[in-house]
Amino acid sequence: MGESARGQRPGHEELLAKLSLEGKVSLLTGADYWHLRARRGIGLRRIRTSDGPAGVRGPRWDERDTALNVPAPVALAATWDPRRADLIGSLLAAECRRKGVDVLLAPAVNLQRSSFGGRNFEFFSEDPLLTAAIGAALVRGLQRCGVAATVKHFVANDSETQRFTVEARVGHRVLRELYLAPFESIVRTARPWAVMAAYNSVNGHTMTESPMLNDILKGEWGFDGVVMSDWRAARSVAAAAAGLDLVMPGPSGPWGDALAEAVRQGRLSEAVVDDKVLRLLRLAARVGALSPGAPDALTELWTDDRARETLRSTAAAGFVLARNRGSLLPLDPRSLRRVAVLGPNAAAPRTLGGGSATVFPPYRVSPVDGLRAALGPDATIEYSPGVRSHTRIPLARPELLRLPGGAGPGVLVEFVAHDGTVLDTERRAGGFCTWRSLPGAVKAARLAAVRVTTTVRAVTPGTHVIGCSGHGQFCLTVEGEPAFDTYLSVPAGTDPTEAHIRPPQRGAAVSLEAGQSAEVVLEHHLGGVEQQTSFVLPGVSFQLNIAEPDRPDDEEIARAVRFAQAADLAVVVVGTTEEVESEGFDRATLDLPGRQDELVRRVAAANPRTVVVVNTGAPVLLPWANTVPAVLLTLFPGQEYGNALADVLLGRCEPGGRLPVTWPEAAADLTATMPEEGVLAYAEGLHIGYRHFDRTGREPRYPFGHGLGYTRWEYLAADVLVPPPAGAAVGGVIVRVRLRNGGTRDGCETIQVYASRPASTVERPLRWLAGFAKAEAPAGAEVTAGIAIPLRRLAHWDTVTGGWEIEPGEFRLGIGRSSRDLPLSVTATVSPGTAIPDGSRC
Ligand code: BGC
């Protein structure tokens, strides 16, 4: 069925007519934290939403509801492969179906405006074209299977500091050419069923009240889906007139009676409410929530094996080999008898970023596990974390925890009433306790405390720090003895996600021998009836934390060096922690946490065959980069991390990634994320990412688009074809590129085309990405690729005419393997009087 026919089934007007004003208005605020309201009378069932880009968490925020952990958006973008993004979209859709989710709160298509952005891992790229291409493909993959995508966060929510209140001041041209561009392209080409309006303001309006919703998104681009608020971003009835359709989450919010009253008093036309309800019904029909009629979904068959294989190959396809001196990689497994796998992220990797993108994967293959499995029993793997990279007391490892009375692993959770009655219990694997809504048997008014009881059995002898994190009153006893009774408070104004990710902590030192057990009881007391939450978000949230004894860094580094000296190969896996890189706050520094830089230097000095694997969601400074033979940037690659890493290091597949973001050498000169007096001026204008480095002439550590494979590509020739008017790229050109795989392995190349306009009458970046394509060829073979460059990619937004204009004359198109390595160039000529058709492909 065609998109439009599927979109607006006949009969929605009739359903609308069955609803009273109050009935209509009630549909426009969520039913609870994740659901929309059902209305049986019109055949509308409850619609379920869920975060997020790295997997489908579902309504439960803990380990009991596992979800496949796909590569984080930045890692997916590093593949530069829309076909893979489409495939991952369809895998996510299958996960949604499995969990009864109708609307996925993804993709996030904000730009990585600054390397400091805390949530960059959740955004695809610093470049609008790459963002749009990957985002649109993901939307298609999801929606083909009947699950709605939610393109977020509209718009200019590119950093976290003060995100609820900050005003982004962005010029109109900059908005159009950079920040709105991915939204426009995705809305026009992939027709998403939902868009999320951001928390922040842009140029004087909060985004839930912004004229851009009606004028640009719905008006100019013809968006026919639902605009929902980011969680608690809706503040006013005025947002209804501005084009917001749905307030999330529910059940309360600024609309309800106030919105109905505004209509009754004639301050808002009922037609505005009707339009929102019709959009909601259209969404319901699209996801199959409106009976009669099943969804038009083509849910694709995902067996466990196919899913695992897709996650593994996609992770490898996003690994960026930044340096490979002397072709150290790929390694011959037969040459590896003893391997040192070192670094804090080697056994405890990050496969996804913190915050709303968090999911609980069924398993995670660490680099140590992946290499061990790949090298088999004949190779010796020695592991040392080398240094500590965290400063907080970590979540208690499930391996340490036993249910009371020796009834197996885990913790016992009890929900305790004011009179001491236990209202409900849960047996849980670990101490991660977050309930956005309380279990059915627990009525908030009766709940006085949540108690966690467990027997901690020590593995390592020495001083353990046993404690908790959260907001509110906590009481800890160890072996019946009080350890602390304390009130932990989150400072006023803290971002709720930051408060969730790194709330205050308290710990008590407990000395334990290996194998010795201690009974631990942690009680979290909630306030009176009025305080039904223990947290800045609804529900109850806290953690049981245990720091086990570990060696001082000096000792651990020395151990790592000893392992490296004795090994055929040293692999050092360095990275960030959730403490420093997450939604909810921006990064304060781009340095790797702890003494990881020193670890790399010491290991590389001990073993000339050292590969450094960088496990971060965004750039970190790599001061040792030119002194180690190989650097592999793996980003946050999902649950198959270790297997994919082994595949790439051992040459079973190529590292397919190219950088979707410039990797800076120094923090100086990077764009700011810190607002001044509530205003974040996008003062750099068009010049973010590589455009900034090109303009200032600074050398980045690794340029945008950079990434090595295992073969060598020769760029032989290029020319420009002007297709006939009815051709594939109406109003544009096709760049034809001939290249040769000049190496000895089959391979895949990402061909990139950058436009420039040397003597332009308007301000422009030195060059900007205008097209890209993948090409594959066996060793020694030639291949020809065609890359379409629609005219819109050469156009600029004219603030005087308020439209897209194209400068007649010659545009130079540089062709090559990164933004700083363009061996070929051709010219595209635009004749005078050429116009950019309204809504033309972008
Ligand atoms: C985030 C959204 C997310 C929502 C629901 C917000 O804080 O900005 O991206 O979808 O929470 O978890």
Side-chain angles (χ1 to χ4, degrees):
M1 190 187 287
E3 186 64 42
S4 54
R6 191 203 300 178
Q8 183 68 72
R9 293 209 171 99
H12 294 179
E13 296 279 354
E14 289 95 286
L15 299 180
L16 179 74
K18 292 186 181 171
L19 298 171
S20 64
L21 172 64
E22 291 70 21
K24 289 186 271 194
V25 160
S26 74
L27 293 178
L28 304 181
T29 296
D32 59 27
Y33 206 73
W34 301 116
H35 298 95
L36 277 54
R37 282 177 210 269
R39 185 55 49 88
R40 290 233 172 75
I42 58 167
L44 174 65
R45 70 154 167 80
R46 193 173 73 149
I47 291 178
R48 173 174 285 178
T49 68
S50 170
D51 288 311
V56 183
R57 189 180 53 248
R60 214 188 242 175
W61 200 299
D62 62 53
E63 81 289 344
R64 287 170 295 177
D65 200 356
T66 61
L68 293 182
N69 171 200
V70 308
V74 66
L76 193 57
T79 67
W80 290 59
D81 190 348
R83 280 171 318 170
R84 272 196 188 274
D86 181 301
L87 192 65
I88 292 294
S90 108
L91 176 56
L92 289 171
E95 282 283 275
C96 285
R97 290 268 167 226
R98 181 171 73 78
K99 294 188 158 201
V101 168
D102 306 289
V103 178
L104 189 69
L105 304 174
V109 303
N110 302 103
L111 296 186
Q112 298 187 20
R113 172 176 169 265
S114 164
S115 305
F116 287 100
R119 209 175 175 179
N120 283 4
F121 58 83
E122 222 179 313
F123 307 153
F124 293 117
S125 169
E126 67 189 21
D127 181 81
L129 174 61
L130 182 58
T131 299
I134 301 294
L138 193 91
V139 170
R140 279 192 211 102
L142 274 168
Q143 296 193 165
R144 188 174 57 246
C145 304
V147 172
T150 309
V151 185
K152 65 188 190 182
H153 312 81
F154 188 77
V155 63
N157 180 184
D158 311 295
S159 49
E160 295 297 277
T161 308
Q162 300 171 17
R163 65 180 165 150
F164 285 85
T165 53
V166 73
E167 178 184 347
R169 292 250 173 94
V170 199
H172 284 290
R173 179 169 173 215
V174 174
L175 265 177
R176 291 288 187 160
E177 292 187 23
L178 289 181
Y179 300 99
L180 286 171
F183 288 95
E184 175 179 9
S185 176
I186 295 171
V187 166
R188 288 195 193 275
T189 64
R191 301 182 63 78
W193 300 339
V195 163
M196 186 188 284
Y199 293 120
N200 52 286
S201 301
V202 176
N203 300 336
H205 302 274
T206 67
M207 278 314 303
T208 45
E209 296 159 328
S210 168
M212 285 191 270
L213 297 177
N214 275 336
D215 297 351
I216 299 180
L217 177 64
K218 291 181 175 177
E220 234 179 81
W221 304 343
F223 173 67
D224 69 355
V226 168
V227 179
M228 72 177 80
S229 67
D230 197 347
W231 267 228
R232 304 205 185 290
R235 293 129 170 131
S236 66
V237 167
L244 185 73
D245 300 315
L246 175 65
V247 169
M248 285 303 285
S252 54
W255 286 5
D257 289 346
L259 186 61
E261 191 55 21
V263 174
R264 284 192 290 266
Q265 289 182 0
R267 285 183 281 119
L268 186 78
S269 152
E270 189 159 354
V272 171
V273 170
D274 288 353
D275 176 63
K276 298 181 195 312
V277 176
L278 286 172
R279 284 171 181 269
L280 219 67
L281 294 176
R282 188 180 295 138
L283 173 70
R286 285 169 162 170
V287 300
L290 197 58
S291 59
D296 295 316
L298 297 167
T299 304
E300 288 164 13
L301 184 64
W302 280 97
T303 58
D304 287 354
D305 282 351
R306 184 177 172 222
R308 228 192 323 268
E309 189 37 51
T310 300
L311 296 181
R312 182 169 177 161
S313 64
T314 305
F319 287 171
V320 179
L321 181 59
R323 178 178 165 90
N324 190 16
R325 205 185 44 186
S327 296
L328 175 62
L329 300 179
L331 297 151
D332 179 353
R334 288 165 310 183
S335 70
L336 302 174
R337 285 290 138 259
R338 184 174 282 272
V339 178
V341 187
L342 313 167
N345 289 41
R350 296 195 76 190
T351 62
L352 49 73
S356 61
T358 304
V359 297
F360 298 83
Y363 64 88
R364 263 195 182 106
V365 184
S366 71
V368 177
D369 293 341
L371 282 164
R372 202 166 262 148
L375 291 171
D378 294 344
T380 304
I381 305 266
E382 280 177 310
Y383 157 72
S384 151
V387 293
R388 261 171 76 116
S389 56
H390 59 272
T391 55
R392 292 167 56 83
I393 317 169
L395 184 66
R397 279 199 307 132
E399 292 75 12
L400 303 178
L401 310 174
R402 317 282 304 164
L403 285 163
V411 307
L412 175 70
V413 177
E414 294 167 293
F415 296 87
V416 186
H418 293 279
D419 62 3
T421 324
V422 174
L423 301 169
D424 204 354
T425 59
E426 289 179 359
R427 278 158 207 270
R428 298 284 304 281
F432 185 86
C433 300
T434 291
W435 299 268
R436 283 279 184 268
S437 48
L438 293 169
V442 181
K443 292 286 157 281
R446 295 195 61 203
L447 183 63
V450 180
R451 184 163 59 218
V452 173
T453 308
T454 188
T455 304
V456 174
R457 195 157 69 199
V459 174
T460 317
T463 303
H464 291 62
V465 178
I466 303 182
C468 64
S469 338
H471 173 62
Q473 191 71 37
F474 292 90
C475 167
L476 183 87
T477 59
V478 178
E479 289 288 284
E481 293 293 322
F484 59 74
D485 188 352
T486 189
Y487 190 87
L488 297 176
S489 60
V490 173
T494 306
D495 184 288
T497 303
E498 174 169 10
H500 180 64
I501 296 289
R502 47 180 194 190
Q505 298 192 306
R506 174 75 191 264
V510 179
S511 181
L512 295 171
E513 295 303 319
Q516 190 186 347
S517 297
E519 199 194 49
V520 170
V521 180
L522 174 65
E523 268 189 9
H524 176 29
H525 296 274
L526 301 158
V529 178
E530 70 290 349
Q531 191 204 333
Q532 292 165 1
T533 75
S534 70
F535 196 47
V536 261
L537 293 172
V540 174
S541 186
F542 63 96
Q543 291 179 10
L544 172 69
N545 302 95
I546 301 182
E548 293 168 80
D550 48 16
R551 294 186 185 85
D553 279 356
D554 283 333
E555 243 177 71
E556 197 67 64
I557 292 179
R559 205 161 82 100
V561 165
R562 274 199 312 280
F563 289 161
Q565 273 162 346
D568 309 317
L569 173 79
V571 179
V572 193
V573 190
V574 293
T576 54
T577 64
E578 208 171 70
E579 293 172 14
V580 299
E581 190 184 9
S582 163
E583 179 186 340
F585 49 91
D586 290 314
R587 283 192 295 163
T589 162
L590 302 188
D591 292 332
L592 281 167
R595 291 165 61 186
Q596 295 187 78
D597 288 333
E598 184 185 339
L599 174 70
V600 172
R601 285 200 174 100
R602 297 271 305 272
V603 170
N607 189 328
R609 283 162 60 86
T610 293
V611 178
V612 185
V613 176
V614 182
N615 179 205
T616 64
V620 285
L621 303 182
L622 310 175
W624 34 259
N626 295 337
T627 65
V628 300
V631 179
L632 186 70
L633 311 172
T634 57
L635 303 163
F636 291 159
Q639 68 187 49
E640 280 288 331
Y641 187 6
N643 287 333
L645 184 65
D647 288 346
V648 164
L649 296 183
L650 305 178
R652 293 185 189 147
C653 63
E654 270 200 310
R658 303 292 182 264
L659 276 175
V661 58
T662 306
W663 206 279
E665 189 175 335
D669 248 12
L670 289 175
T671 310
T673 53
M674 200 49 81
E676 277 176 29
E677 294 181 14
V679 172
L680 186 59
Y682 282 39
E684 70 291 341
L686 296 170
H687 307 282
I688 63 168
Y690 62 90
R691 302 159 192 244
H692 162 73
F693 281 83
D694 289 343
R695 182 171 65 151
T696 55
R698 290 183 80 88
E699 276 300 313
R701 170 69 70 198
Y702 304 121
F704 178 81
H706 171 70
L708 308 168
Y710 286 156
T711 186
R712 196 168 38 78
W713 291 91
E714 293 155 19
Y715 281 71
L716 302 174
D719 57 0
V720 168
L721 307 178
V722 180
V730 179
V733 297
I734 292 175
V735 175
R736 193 168 54 178
V737 191
R738 196 153 59 81
L739 56 169
R740 198 172 92 87
N741 177 351
T744 52
R745 281 179 63 113
D746 300 353
C748 177
E749 174 68 325
T750 302
I751 309 165
Q752 303 164 36
V753 180
Y754 293 84
S756 56
R757 178 73 191 214
S760 178
T761 54
V762 290
E763 184 196 350
R764 293 190 189 259
L766 194 66
R767 64 179 74 87
W768 64 97
L769 184 70
F772 61 91
K774 291 266 183 196
E776 274 180 61
E782 282 186 20
V783 61
T784 300
I787 302 163
I789 315 285
L791 217 46
R792 246 298 289 274
R793 298 202 188 139
L794 306 178
H796 61 275
W797 181 261
D798 190 318
T799 40
V800 178
T801 62
W804 293 98
E805 303 288 344
I806 187 145
E807 218 182 342
E810 291 190 346
F811 285 82
R812 186 175 169 277
L813 301 173
I815 302 149
R817 46 182 82 85
S818 85
S819 62
R820 291 280 177 109
D821 186 355
L822 301 169
L824 299 176
S825 102
V826 292
T827 300
T829 307
V830 174
S831 2
T834 305
I836 302 287
D838 200 28
S840 71
R841 206 178 127 192
C842 41

